[in-house]
Each structure stands twice: as structure tokens, then as C-alpha cells.
Amino acid sequence: RILLKFGGLQATIPAGAVVISAELTLTFVNWRGNSGVDTCFMTKPWDRSAPTTPLRFQGTGWAFSNWNTASSVSLPWTQPGGWADCDSRASMSNSVPGNGISGNVTRTIALEPGLVNEWFTGSESSNHGLLLRANSPGSFSMFSSSSQLIFQRPSLHVKYSTSPSELPASPTYPVTVVSPGRTLWVSSSLGNDLTGSGDSIFPVRSLRRALDDALPGDTINLMNGSYAGGLAIYRSRLTLQ
């Protein structure tokens, strides 16, 4: 299981703006076969940096399975992976394929924009972040914000609007959010294969790097520039444009 939270979001979009779409980009480490991962919005507070207080690992024990660090009392999960602490209004499921070469797999997960909007418009105390759990046999890990390489760190991308005509209709909960294919950007002049994430702001430099990162269903956008040819493509259902 993984807990993830982006703090201090309240002042990052204009007053009155509403989030209309949101995506989370994560880099996993998975050397073996395909692993499924579920993602949900947390409803209980936690703070990994706090001392042994109830806030640190409340409820079902975040340090490891079946243990509450605060009370030193064993508390069994009522649902696998502590899923009872999730917001029932939305759930997201994705797959993390194995990478036998480097182990690194970058995935983009679409998030329910209405719940993400609450992170920006509510108080910091109401932002409990996300929980990720494996939903199939096997294991994987994930790079955190402490990674030395910027492109491996978790990143949150949101689109917001202040125009009433662009605001989405209120969803009917519960909803299951389906993630689209990832879009990777390549720039031979502005990109960097070591620090670039493939985002439009932090593109990679070479088509080879993009092809290594892309998975079936992904799109690779080549920005103006010159690129080496003669590259083998081993994955199906890739769009290059």
C-alpha cells in the first residue's frame, strides 16, 4: 500500500476557479509481470512526519499491515488494504506492467475532478490524499518526492476554469474513473532524457527515450526538431504525431 498527498494547494488556483480535469503521474518499480493497482481518495487524516500521535497512523495502521502505531494495539483491516478508509464516491483502477530492463514504469491515472477540487477549495485539514493498493498477486514500489530525478517524482496536473460555460455537470456518485493513454512530449532542442518526465513542460529529448517509456495506448508528440530514425518499435497501439 502507498499513501500519497499533495499539500498546500489552496492558493495555487484563482479564487472561484473550479477543477474540471485532473491527472496523476507516478513512476512505479515493477520488475515482474503485470500488477493491478487501485486508487482511492482517503477519508482519514494521517501525517507520516508526525511523532507517535493518532494523526500519524490512525485507524488501521499505515506503518505496516494490521498495526496501529499510535495505540500499539493490533487492528485488523475490515477491507483488504485498509479500503474501508476510502471515499466511496470514486475509485480508479489501473495496471502496472512489468519492465524487465529497468523496472521503472510511468503511469498516468485520471482522478475524479470534483474530489480533487475539494483539495483546492477546502481547508488543508480536509485533504487526506490518496491510497494506492495492489489488486492482484505480486508487488511493486513507487518513487516519492525524495527521488533525485525530478521526472520520477509524483506529479499532479489539473485543468481549471473560471467560466461557467466550461464547468462540468455534477457527477452522480459513485463513479469509476477510467484513465486515458498517456501523452509523452519530445523536444530535440528543449528536452532532457535525464530530467524530463515527458510532460509538455518537461519533455524528453530523444524519440528512443519516449519509445522506451511508452505503453500500448499511449501517444508520443514530436515537437519541432530533428530526430534520429531507424528505431525499432516493440510495443503495439502507439500513436506518433
Side-chain angles (χ1 to χ4, degrees), residues 2 11 58 77 107 111 147 149 151 187:
I2 297 170
Q58 184 176 2
W77 290 334
R107 301 295 284 158
L111 301 176
S147 174
L149 298 178
F151 72 88
S187 172

Side-chain angles (χ1 to χ4, degrees), residues 39-44 79 82-92 112 115 118 172-177:
T39 306
C40 77
F41 290 82
M42 284 291 293
T43 60
K44 286 192 175 181
Q79 295 183 28
W83 209 246
D85 292 341
C86 291
D87 193 319
S88 61
R89 290 178 291 175
S91 61
M92 293 72 66
E112 205 291 299
L115 299 186
E118 294 179 6
T172 301
Y173 295 119
V175 297
T176 299
V177 183

Side-chain angles (χ1 to χ4, degrees), residues 1 3 44 56-70 73 75 77 81-82 85:
R1 300 182 325 136
L3 287 173
K44 286 192 175 181
R56 186 182 186 195
F57 300 122
Q58 184 176 2
T60 56
W62 304 119
F64 47 87
S65 172
N66 208 37
W67 190 257
N68 186 323
T69 306
V73 175
L75 295 173
W77 290 334
D85 292 341

Side-chain angles (χ1 to χ4, degrees), residues 202-234:
F202 301 107
V204 297
R205 182 179 182 84
S206 68
L207 178 56
R208 177 73 276 163
R209 161 68 197 282
L211 289 171
D212 288 342
D213 286 357
L215 297 171
D218 288 350
T219 298
I220 298 175
N221 287 336
L222 297 175
M223 303 171 78
N224 290 337
S226 299
Y227 300 92
L231 300 175
I233 300 177
Y234 299 100

